[in-house]
Amino acid sequence: MKDLICDEFQNVVGDLLIRHRSILDILSKLSESSCRVNRAVAKSVTDCGCLSIEANKLQLPDQIDSFEELKQYLDSHLKGHICPNCEEVINNELGKLLFYAAALCNTLDISLYDVFIKEYKKASTLGIFNLT
């Protein structure tokens, strides 16, 4: 069922994408969408204030015995809770990002579902060795 939803999304994107069918248009719109996601998150900090960023140098002890122990020292640097308005804006921008990712897949004749599955298998198989 999940592959059908992903395939159907990709089909709908193919049907709707009229103005930006050129690979150059798709690439630039994908890049713009990524920037808009970043901007929406930044505005939740700088404009709304529902989130704040408190970052400093990562301090790790000399001896860490496991990946689970390492996780205790890692931090997202994000404080607060996203408000409903900011969440809606970020969701919309992420949706556009997915739209143009699906458009790129269509143009290159790649299955978006296959991309998800391949990445999932790589992440689940490699585990901590797939750190990015």
Short mmCIF file of all heavy atoms in Angstrom, two decimals, residues 60-111:
data_model
loop_
_atom_site.label_atom_id
_atom_site.label_comp_id
_atom_site.label_asym_id
_atom_site.label_seq_id
_atom_site.Cartn_x
_atom_site.Cartn_y
_atom_site.Cartn_z
N LEU A 60 33.08 15.95 24.19
CA LEU A 60 32.99 14.50 24.32
C LEU A 60 34.07 14.01 25.27
O LEU A 60 35.21 14.48 25.22
CB LEU A 60 33.19 13.82 22.96
CG LEU A 60 32.13 14.08 21.91
CD1 LEU A 60 32.52 13.43 20.59
CD2 LEU A 60 30.78 13.57 22.36
N PRO A 61 33.72 13.07 26.12
CA PRO A 61 34.75 12.49 26.99
C PRO A 61 35.75 11.68 26.16
O PRO A 61 35.46 11.28 25.04
CB PRO A 61 33.95 11.60 27.95
CG PRO A 61 32.63 11.40 27.32
CD PRO A 61 32.40 12.51 26.36
N ASP A 62 36.91 11.45 26.74
CA ASP A 62 37.96 10.72 26.02
C ASP A 62 37.56 9.28 25.73
O ASP A 62 37.93 8.73 24.71
CB ASP A 62 39.26 10.73 26.83
CG ASP A 62 39.86 12.12 26.89
OD1 ASP A 62 39.59 12.92 25.98
OD2 ASP A 62 40.59 12.40 27.86
N GLN A 63 36.80 8.67 26.63
CA GLN A 63 36.46 7.26 26.48
C GLN A 63 34.94 7.10 26.36
O GLN A 63 34.20 7.35 27.29
CB GLN A 63 36.97 6.46 27.70
CG GLN A 63 36.71 4.99 27.64
CD GLN A 63 37.44 4.30 26.50
OE1 GLN A 63 38.52 4.73 26.09
NE2 GLN A 63 36.87 3.25 25.97
N ILE A 64 34.51 6.69 25.18
CA ILE A 64 33.10 6.34 24.96
C ILE A 64 33.08 4.91 24.46
O ILE A 64 33.76 4.57 23.49
CB ILE A 64 32.43 7.30 23.95
CG1 ILE A 64 32.42 8.70 24.51
CG2 ILE A 64 31.03 6.82 23.61
CD1 ILE A 64 31.83 9.73 23.60
N ASP A 65 32.29 4.07 25.12
CA ASP A 65 32.31 2.65 24.83
C ASP A 65 31.26 2.19 23.83
O ASP A 65 31.35 1.09 23.30
CB ASP A 65 32.14 1.85 26.13
CG ASP A 65 33.32 2.08 27.07
OD1 ASP A 65 34.46 2.19 26.58
OD2 ASP A 65 33.08 2.18 28.29
N SER A 66 30.24 3.01 23.55
CA SER A 66 29.20 2.55 22.64
C SER A 66 28.54 3.74 21.94
O SER A 66 28.64 4.88 22.38
CB SER A 66 28.13 1.76 23.40
OG SER A 66 27.40 2.63 24.24
N PHE A 67 27.86 3.41 20.86
CA PHE A 67 27.12 4.42 20.14
C PHE A 67 25.99 4.97 21.01
O PHE A 67 25.71 6.17 20.98
CB PHE A 67 26.56 3.83 18.84
CG PHE A 67 25.83 4.82 17.99
CD1 PHE A 67 26.51 5.87 17.40
CD2 PHE A 67 24.47 4.71 17.78
CE1 PHE A 67 25.85 6.80 16.62
CE2 PHE A 67 23.79 5.63 17.01
CZ PHE A 67 24.49 6.68 16.42
N GLU A 68 25.37 4.13 21.79
CA GLU A 68 24.30 4.57 22.69
C GLU A 68 24.83 5.58 23.71
O GLU A 68 24.17 6.54 24.04
CB GLU A 68 23.66 3.37 23.40
CG GLU A 68 22.82 2.49 22.49
CD GLU A 68 21.70 3.27 21.81
OE1 GLU A 68 21.03 4.09 22.46
OE2 GLU A 68 21.50 3.05 20.60
N GLU A 69 26.03 5.33 24.20
CA GLU A 69 26.63 6.27 25.14
C GLU A 69 26.95 7.60 24.45
O GLU A 69 26.77 8.67 25.03
CB GLU A 69 27.90 5.66 25.74
CG GLU A 69 28.51 6.49 26.85
CD GLU A 69 29.76 5.85 27.43
OE1 GLU A 69 30.02 4.65 27.18
OE2 GLU A 69 30.49 6.58 28.13
N LEU A 70 27.40 7.53 23.20
CA LEU A 70 27.70 8.74 22.44
C LEU A 70 26.45 9.60 22.26
O LEU A 70 26.52 10.83 22.35
CB LEU A 70 28.28 8.37 21.07
CG LEU A 70 28.53 9.52 20.10
CD1 LEU A 70 29.57 10.48 20.66
CD2 LEU A 70 28.97 8.98 18.75
N LYS A 71 25.31 8.98 22.05
CA LYS A 71 24.05 9.70 21.85
C LYS A 71 23.72 10.61 23.03
O LYS A 71 23.09 11.65 22.86
CB LYS A 71 22.89 8.73 21.63
CG LYS A 71 22.83 8.13 20.26
CD LYS A 71 21.61 7.24 20.16
CE LYS A 71 21.41 6.64 18.82
NZ LYS A 71 20.20 5.81 18.77
N GLN A 72 24.17 10.23 24.22
CA GLN A 72 23.89 11.03 25.41
C GLN A 72 24.57 12.40 25.35
O GLN A 72 24.13 13.34 25.99
CB GLN A 72 24.37 10.30 26.67
CG GLN A 72 23.63 9.01 26.94
CD GLN A 72 24.27 8.25 28.10
OE1 GLN A 72 25.08 8.79 28.84
NE2 GLN A 72 23.89 7.00 28.25
N TYR A 73 25.63 12.51 24.55
CA TYR A 73 26.39 13.75 24.48
C TYR A 73 26.02 14.61 23.27
O TYR A 73 26.50 15.73 23.13
CB TYR A 73 27.90 13.45 24.45
CG TYR A 73 28.36 12.78 25.72
CD1 TYR A 73 28.50 11.40 25.80
CD2 TYR A 73 28.64 13.54 26.85
CE1 TYR A 73 28.92 10.79 26.97
CE2 TYR A 73 29.06 12.93 28.02
CZ TYR A 73 29.19 11.55 28.08
OH TYR A 73 29.60 10.96 29.24
N LEU A 74 25.18 14.09 22.39
CA LEU A 74 24.80 14.82 21.20
C LEU A 74 23.55 15.64 21.45
O LEU A 74 22.68 15.25 22.22
CB LEU A 74 24.58 13.85 20.04
CG LEU A 74 25.78 12.96 19.70
CD1 LEU A 74 25.44 12.02 18.57
CD2 LEU A 74 27.00 13.80 19.35
N ASP A 75 23.45 16.77 20.78
CA ASP A 75 22.34 17.69 21.00
C ASP A 75 21.95 18.32 19.67
O ASP A 75 22.81 18.61 18.83
CB ASP A 75 22.77 18.77 22.00
CG ASP A 75 21.66 19.71 22.40
OD1 ASP A 75 20.49 19.45 22.08
OD2 ASP A 75 21.98 20.72 23.06
N SER A 76 20.67 18.58 19.48
CA SER A 76 20.21 19.24 18.26
C SER A 76 20.42 20.75 18.32
O SER A 76 20.28 21.44 17.31
CB SER A 76 18.73 18.95 18.03
OG SER A 76 17.95 19.63 19.00
N HIS A 77 20.72 21.28 19.49
CA HIS A 77 20.90 22.71 19.73
C HIS A 77 19.58 23.49 19.63
O HIS A 77 19.57 24.70 19.70
CB HIS A 77 21.93 23.34 18.77
CG HIS A 77 23.26 22.67 18.82
ND1 HIS A 77 24.29 23.14 19.59
CD2 HIS A 77 23.73 21.57 18.20
CE1 HIS A 77 25.34 22.35 19.45
NE2 HIS A 77 25.02 21.39 18.61
N LEU A 78 18.49 22.77 19.47
CA LEU A 78 17.18 23.39 19.32
C LEU A 78 16.45 23.37 20.65
O LEU A 78 16.36 22.34 21.31
CB LEU A 78 16.38 22.59 18.28
CG LEU A 78 15.18 23.24 17.64
CD1 LEU A 78 15.57 24.52 16.93
CD2 LEU A 78 14.53 22.28 16.66
N LYS A 79 15.94 24.52 21.05
CA LYS A 79 15.21 24.65 22.31
C LYS A 79 13.82 25.18 22.01
O LYS A 79 13.63 25.96 21.08
CB LYS A 79 15.93 25.60 23.28
CG LYS A 79 17.38 25.23 23.55
CD LYS A 79 17.55 23.86 24.16
CE LYS A 79 19.01 23.56 24.39
NZ LYS A 79 19.40 22.21 24.16
N GLY A 80 12.86 24.80 22.83
CA GLY A 80 11.49 25.25 22.65
C GLY A 80 10.68 24.23 21.87
O GLY A 80 11.14 23.14 21.55
N HIS A 81 9.45 24.61 21.57
CA HIS A 81 8.54 23.74 20.81
C HIS A 81 7.94 24.54 19.68
O HIS A 81 7.50 25.69 19.88
CB HIS A 81 7.42 23.20 21.72
CG HIS A 81 7.94 22.36 22.84
ND1 HIS A 81 8.38 21.08 22.65
CD2 HIS A 81 8.13 22.64 24.15
CE1 HIS A 81 8.80 20.59 23.80
NE2 HIS A 81 8.66 21.53 24.74
N ILE A 82 7.91 23.94 18.51
CA ILE A 82 7.39 24.64 17.34
C ILE A 82 5.90 24.92 17.51
O ILE A 82 5.15 24.06 17.97
CB ILE A 82 7.68 23.81 16.07
CG1 ILE A 82 7.43 24.64 14.84
CG2 ILE A 82 6.90 22.53 16.04
CD1 ILE A 82 8.01 24.03 13.59
N CYS A 83 5.51 26.14 17.19
CA CYS A 83 4.10 26.53 17.32
C CYS A 83 3.32 26.02 16.11
O CYS A 83 3.90 25.68 15.08
CB CYS A 83 3.97 28.06 17.44
SG CYS A 83 4.28 28.96 15.92
N PRO A 84 2.01 25.93 16.22
CA PRO A 84 1.19 25.42 15.11
C PRO A 84 1.38 26.21 13.81
O PRO A 84 1.41 25.62 12.72
CB PRO A 84 -0.24 25.54 15.62
CG PRO A 84 -0.12 25.49 17.10
CD PRO A 84 1.19 26.17 17.41
N ASN A 85 1.53 27.52 13.88
CA ASN A 85 1.70 28.32 12.67
C ASN A 85 3.02 27.99 11.97
O ASN A 85 3.05 27.77 10.76
CB ASN A 85 1.64 29.81 13.00
CG ASN A 85 1.73 30.67 11.77
OD1 ASN A 85 0.95 30.52 10.84
ND2 ASN A 85 2.70 31.56 11.75
N CYS A 86 4.10 27.95 12.72
CA CYS A 86 5.41 27.63 12.14
C CYS A 86 5.43 26.20 11.61
O CYS A 86 6.01 25.93 10.55
CB CYS A 86 6.52 27.84 13.16
SG CYS A 86 6.81 29.58 13.55
N GLU A 87 4.79 25.31 12.33
CA GLU A 87 4.72 23.92 11.87
C GLU A 87 4.00 23.83 10.53
O GLU A 87 4.44 23.10 9.63
CB GLU A 87 4.01 23.05 12.91
CG GLU A 87 3.96 21.59 12.52
CD GLU A 87 3.31 20.71 13.58
OE1 GLU A 87 2.69 21.25 14.52
OE2 GLU A 87 3.42 19.48 13.45
N GLU A 88 2.93 24.58 10.38
CA GLU A 88 2.18 24.57 9.12
C GLU A 88 3.04 25.11 7.97
O GLU A 88 3.07 24.54 6.88
CB GLU A 88 0.91 25.40 9.25
CG GLU A 88 0.07 25.40 7.99
CD GLU A 88 -1.21 26.21 8.13
OE1 GLU A 88 -1.60 26.55 9.26
OE2 GLU A 88 -1.81 26.49 7.08
N VAL A 89 3.74 26.19 8.22
CA VAL A 89 4.60 26.78 7.19
C VAL A 89 5.70 25.80 6.78
O VAL A 89 5.96 25.58 5.59
CB VAL A 89 5.21 28.13 7.67
CG1 VAL A 89 6.26 28.63 6.70
CG2 VAL A 89 4.11 29.16 7.87
N ILE A 90 6.35 25.19 7.77
CA ILE A 90 7.43 24.24 7.48
C ILE A 90 6.88 23.02 6.77
O ILE A 90 7.50 22.53 5.81
CB ILE A 90 8.19 23.87 8.78
CG1 ILE A 90 8.94 25.10 9.29
CG2 ILE A 90 9.15 22.71 8.54
CD1 ILE A 90 9.51 24.96 10.69
N ASN A 91 5.72 22.53 7.19
CA ASN A 91 5.09 21.40 6.48
C ASN A 91 4.83 21.74 5.02
O ASN A 91 5.08 20.92 4.13
CB ASN A 91 3.78 20.99 7.16
CG ASN A 91 3.99 20.05 8.31
OD1 ASN A 91 4.94 19.27 8.32
ND2 ASN A 91 3.12 20.12 9.29
N ASN A 92 4.32 22.94 4.76
CA ASN A 92 4.05 23.36 3.38
C ASN A 92 5.34 23.41 2.56
O ASN A 92 5.37 22.96 1.41
CB ASN A 92 3.36 24.73 3.35
CG ASN A 92 1.94 24.66 3.83
OD1 ASN A 92 1.30 23.61 3.80
ND2 ASN A 92 1.42 25.78 4.28
N GLU A 93 6.38 23.96 3.15
CA GLU A 93 7.66 24.05 2.43
C GLU A 93 8.27 22.67 2.20
O GLU A 93 8.83 22.40 1.13
CB GLU A 93 8.64 24.96 3.17
CG GLU A 93 8.18 26.40 3.31
CD GLU A 93 7.88 27.12 2.00
OE1 GLU A 93 8.31 26.65 0.91
OE2 GLU A 93 7.22 28.17 2.04
N LEU A 94 8.16 21.78 3.17
CA LEU A 94 8.64 20.41 2.99
C LEU A 94 7.84 19.70 1.90
O LEU A 94 8.39 18.91 1.13
CB LEU A 94 8.57 19.63 4.31
CG LEU A 94 9.64 19.97 5.34
CD1 LEU A 94 9.30 19.32 6.68
CD2 LEU A 94 11.01 19.53 4.86
N GLY A 95 6.55 19.98 1.84
CA GLY A 95 5.70 19.40 0.80
C GLY A 95 6.16 19.81 -0.59
O GLY A 95 6.23 18.99 -1.51
N LYS A 96 6.51 21.09 -0.75
CA LYS A 96 7.02 21.57 -2.04
C LYS A 96 8.35 20.91 -2.37
O LYS A 96 8.63 20.57 -3.53
CB LYS A 96 7.16 23.09 -2.02
CG LYS A 96 5.84 23.82 -1.98
CD LYS A 96 6.04 25.31 -1.82
CE LYS A 96 4.73 26.01 -1.52
NZ LYS A 96 4.92 27.42 -1.16
N LEU A 97 9.17 20.72 -1.34
CA LEU A 97 10.46 20.05 -1.55
C LEU A 97 10.23 18.62 -2.05
O LEU A 97 10.88 18.17 -3.01
CB LEU A 97 11.26 20.04 -0.24
CG LEU A 97 12.65 19.42 -0.29
CD1 LEU A 97 13.59 20.26 -1.14
CD2 LEU A 97 13.21 19.29 1.11
N LEU A 98 9.30 17.93 -1.43
CA LEU A 98 8.97 16.56 -1.89
C LEU A 98 8.39 16.57 -3.29
O LEU A 98 8.67 15.68 -4.10
CB LEU A 98 8.00 15.90 -0.91
CG LEU A 98 8.56 15.55 0.46
CD1 LEU A 98 7.45 15.03 1.37
CD2 LEU A 98 9.67 14.52 0.33
N PHE A 99 7.57 17.58 -3.59
CA PHE A 99 6.98 17.71 -4.92
C PHE A 99 8.07 17.78 -5.99
O PHE A 99 8.05 17.04 -6.98
CB PHE A 99 6.10 18.97 -4.98
CG PHE A 99 5.43 19.20 -6.30
CD1 PHE A 99 4.16 18.69 -6.54
CD2 PHE A 99 6.07 19.91 -7.31
CE1 PHE A 99 3.54 18.91 -7.76
CE2 PHE A 99 5.46 20.12 -8.53
CZ PHE A 99 4.18 19.62 -8.76
N TYR A 100 9.06 18.66 -5.78
CA TYR A 100 10.12 18.80 -6.78
C TYR A 100 11.09 17.62 -6.77
O TYR A 100 11.69 17.31 -7.81
CB TYR A 100 10.82 20.15 -6.64
CG TYR A 100 9.92 21.25 -7.14
CD1 TYR A 100 9.32 22.14 -6.26
CD2 TYR A 100 9.61 21.35 -8.49
CE1 TYR A 100 8.44 23.12 -6.72
CE2 TYR A 100 8.74 22.33 -8.96
CZ TYR A 100 8.16 23.21 -8.07
OH TYR A 100 7.29 24.16 -8.54
N ALA A 101 11.24 16.95 -5.65
CA ALA A 101 12.04 15.72 -5.63
C ALA A 101 11.34 14.65 -6.49
O ALA A 101 12.00 13.94 -7.27
CB ALA A 101 12.23 15.21 -4.21
N ALA A 102 10.01 14.56 -6.37
CA ALA A 102 9.26 13.62 -7.20
C ALA A 102 9.33 14.02 -8.67
O ALA A 102 9.44 13.16 -9.56
CB ALA A 102 7.80 13.56 -6.73
N ALA A 103 9.29 15.32 -8.94
CA ALA A 103 9.41 15.80 -10.33
C ALA A 103 10.76 15.40 -10.91
O ALA A 103 10.85 14.99 -12.08
CB ALA A 103 9.22 17.31 -10.38
N LEU A 104 11.81 15.52 -10.12
CA LEU A 104 13.14 15.13 -10.58
C LEU A 104 13.18 13.63 -10.87
O LEU A 104 13.71 13.20 -11.89
CB LEU A 104 14.21 15.51 -9.55
CG LEU A 104 15.65 15.18 -9.92
CD1 LEU A 104 16.08 15.90 -11.20
CD2 LEU A 104 16.57 15.55 -8.76
N CYS A 105 12.58 12.86 -9.98
CA CYS A 105 12.51 11.41 -10.20
C CYS A 105 11.77 11.10 -11.50
O CYS A 105 12.20 10.26 -12.29
CB CYS A 105 11.82 10.72 -9.02
SG CYS A 105 12.83 10.61 -7.53
N ASN A 106 10.66 11.78 -11.73
CA ASN A 106 9.89 11.56 -12.97
C ASN A 106 10.74 11.86 -14.20
O ASN A 106 10.76 11.09 -15.15
CB ASN A 106 8.64 12.44 -13.00
CG ASN A 106 7.54 11.92 -12.11
OD1 ASN A 106 7.54 10.78 -11.69
ND2 ASN A 106 6.59 12.79 -11.80
N THR A 107 11.44 12.99 -14.16
CA THR A 107 12.23 13.41 -15.32
C THR A 107 13.36 12.43 -15.60
O THR A 107 13.70 12.17 -16.76
CB THR A 107 12.79 14.83 -15.07
OG1 THR A 107 11.68 15.70 -14.83
CG2 THR A 107 13.57 15.33 -16.27
N LEU A 108 13.93 11.87 -14.55
CA LEU A 108 15.03 10.92 -14.70
C LEU A 108 14.57 9.47 -14.79
O LEU A 108 15.38 8.56 -14.84
CB LEU A 108 16.02 11.08 -13.54
CG LEU A 108 16.69 12.46 -13.43
CD1 LEU A 108 17.50 12.55 -12.16
CD2 LEU A 108 17.53 12.74 -14.66
N ASP A 109 13.24 9.28 -14.77
CA ASP A 109 12.63 7.94 -14.82
C ASP A 109 13.13 7.06 -13.67
O ASP A 109 13.56 5.92 -13.87
CB ASP A 109 12.90 7.28 -16.17
CG ASP A 109 11.96 6.12 -16.44
OD1 ASP A 109 10.83 6.13 -15.89
OD2 ASP A 109 12.35 5.19 -17.18
N ILE A 110 13.08 7.63 -12.47
CA ILE A 110 13.47 6.94 -11.25
C ILE A 110 12.24 6.83 -10.36
O ILE A 110 11.47 7.78 -10.23
CB ILE A 110 14.58 7.72 -10.50
CG1 ILE A 110 15.87 7.73 -11.33
CG2 ILE A 110 14.83 7.17 -9.11
CD1 ILE A 110 16.96 8.62 -10.77
N SER A 111 12.06 5.70 -9.73
CA SER A 111 10.95 5.51 -8.81
C SER A 111 11.29 6.12 -7.45
O SER A 111 12.28 5.72 -6.82
CB SER A 111 10.64 4.02 -8.64
OG SER A 111 9.80 3.80 -7.53
#
